[in-house]
Amino acid sequence: MADLEGLMQRYRSLVPGIMESVLAGKRLLVVTHIDADGLCSGSAVFSALKRRGANVTVRTVPDLDPKTITELASQRHDFYIFVDLASTLVAELEAALGGRYLVIDHHEISEADIGNQSVVNAWAFGYDGGREACSSTMAYFFAAALDPANSDLSTLAVVGALADRQESGPGRSLTGLNRSAMEVAQKKGLLMVSKDLMFTGRETRPVHESVALTSTPFLKGLTGSKDATLALLHNSGLELKEGGAWRTISSLGDDEKRKLTEAIAEALGSEPGATEALAGLFGEVYTFRFEDPFTPLRDAREFGTLLNSCGRMGLAGIGISVCLGDRSAALKEAMRNLSDYRSGINRALDAVTSDASRVEPHGRLVLVNGEGVVDERLLGPVISILTGSPAYKDKVVVGRATSRGNDLKISSRVGDLYEGAVDLGSVMREAAAEVGGVGGGHAMAAGAKIPASRADAFSKSVADRVSG
Ligand code: C5P
């Protein structure tokens, strides 16, 4: 059973020890993951410690492995806090750091480690860490235990949860521990929660641009194509301008919003899964009151996309600066990067969807060949977007892209409507190991690196495992 009080008691029991280290001027290191949930959670823990006067640094890593643990241990920090990482590496942390570490996480953890006093994991308190409690939310409640005045950091929990796709309630709403953090942000007056059409840039972009920027759900023929969307909306009779200025989706009245979805429905026509795609357009939207409406930080989902683009493109530090409140140089750089990231994804989507030879259906499995046309750093989002498209919602999609040193980067995702059980984390781990590569990840999203020369053997092994 969900036990928020138990979680808070656990955090409060850690506070005296942490404050003793802080007051003694010990060197603390926060280690976090480069995705949006990692950047938000690392920033929340860092801010909370800094506000109490700690001598603390934050560092991001793309993945934690035994080699990275040894390297971090050699830096001789006095105490290490790992967030969004390490739940499967507790034995290695114990060996390298003794008792000088704390793990705050939401990834699944073994029965043996669940009671470890150095580990605070969402699953141990009755929360489903994949749907109801992201790392940023776990980090926020840690910050709240350090000082109740940290309630402003609840906004980072909302961003992290949405970016981690923990929108498991009706209308893509937040649930569980994430919702508890969301309610704090709402009560503080920082966050508005409403029901609306969930288009990217709904408060800031011209209507047609908003529709073209939206990739969840993927709208075939419209996502990534401003011109096609503009032509469609012109024909729909919707007033796209007012007094010479473009209107935004949030300025449309209910009837106009209905007209807009009808026009989109017509464009999607008999596309398989079109009805689900349209149902996915209406839901709970999260708006930060004090963020500039003309930045991606205003909408919590876009804030998450901005951070994910920073992490993917090697700008994790910029992402952290934005989380810590930089609204000048870092935000500008992050916004420039987001724009490049979006165009890169659109180009890649176009390249793979316009060339039938790059998409091979094998029953419930679809293999996507992005070699030479998809930047490996963008492969994960490209495969996620494709899997969210009506045509592939009931499939497992596995993509590949050229990587360095004769390797291929692999990304795989399970569609929401896939019938049957598949654990992609094990599929990727086992199929990659068979061909001399390395793979792993979660049940619904996983990846690998394999030698390019073994691509066919790898694909065959994945196909056997998915259909078997
Ligand atoms: O890169 P991509 O977005 O496809 O990765 C999907 C998920 O699989 C991520 O959570 C990533 O951390 C994980 N992964 C992993 N081990 C690998 C490759 C990816 O755990 N070797």
Side-chain angles (χ1 to χ4, degrees), residues 32 127 170 186 209 245 283 361:
T32 191
Y127 291 104
Q186 224 179 347
E209 282 192 25

Side-chain angles (χ1 to χ4, degrees), residues 30-97:
V30 175
V31 182
T32 191
H33 193 213
I34 56 170
D35 70 9
D37 188 28
L39 298 180
C40 288
S41 47
S43 302
V45 170
F46 173 84
S47 283
L49 290 166
K50 196 83 192 160
R51 288 173 182 180
R52 298 294 310 255
N55 176 3
V56 59
T57 328
V58 57
R59 179 166 163 191
T60 56
V61 293
D63 275 310
L64 194 67
D65 52 23
K67 206 172 127 221
T68 312
I69 293 176
T70 311
E71 190 240 303
L72 290 168
S74 74
Q75 294 178 358
R76 304 198 170 282
H77 293 273
D78 297 306
F79 194 80
Y80 294 76
I81 303 180
F82 294 88
V83 281
D84 199 25
L85 297 160
S87 282
T88 55
L89 290 164
V90 175
E92 285 80 354
L93 290 182
E94 202 67 57
L97 300 169

Side-chain angles (χ1 to χ4, degrees), residues 263-283:
I264 294 172
E266 218 172 292
L268 296 179
S270 55
E271 181 71 10
T275 318
E276 291 83 5
L278 285 173
L281 286 171
F282 192 79

Side-chain angles (χ1 to χ4, degrees), residues 412-436:
S412 59
R413 303 286 187 270
V414 181
D416 283 349
L417 305 179
Y418 183 79
E419 284 178 4
V422 63
D423 176 0
L424 277 183
S426 333
V427 171
M428 288 293 123
R429 191 171 51 252
E430 292 163 14
E434 254 179 36
V435 299

Side-chain angles (χ1 to χ4, degrees), residues 33 35 62-63 107 312 376-377 379-381 383-384 409-413 428 438-442 445-449:
H33 193 213
D35 70 9
D63 275 310
H107 290 96
R312 291 255 173 202
E376 66 169 311
R377 297 171 299 179
L379 182 66
I383 298 303
S384 291
K409 148 99 185 155
I410 309 291
S411 277
S412 59
R413 303 286 187 270
M428 288 293 123
V438 182
H442 310 275
K449 267 283 168 65

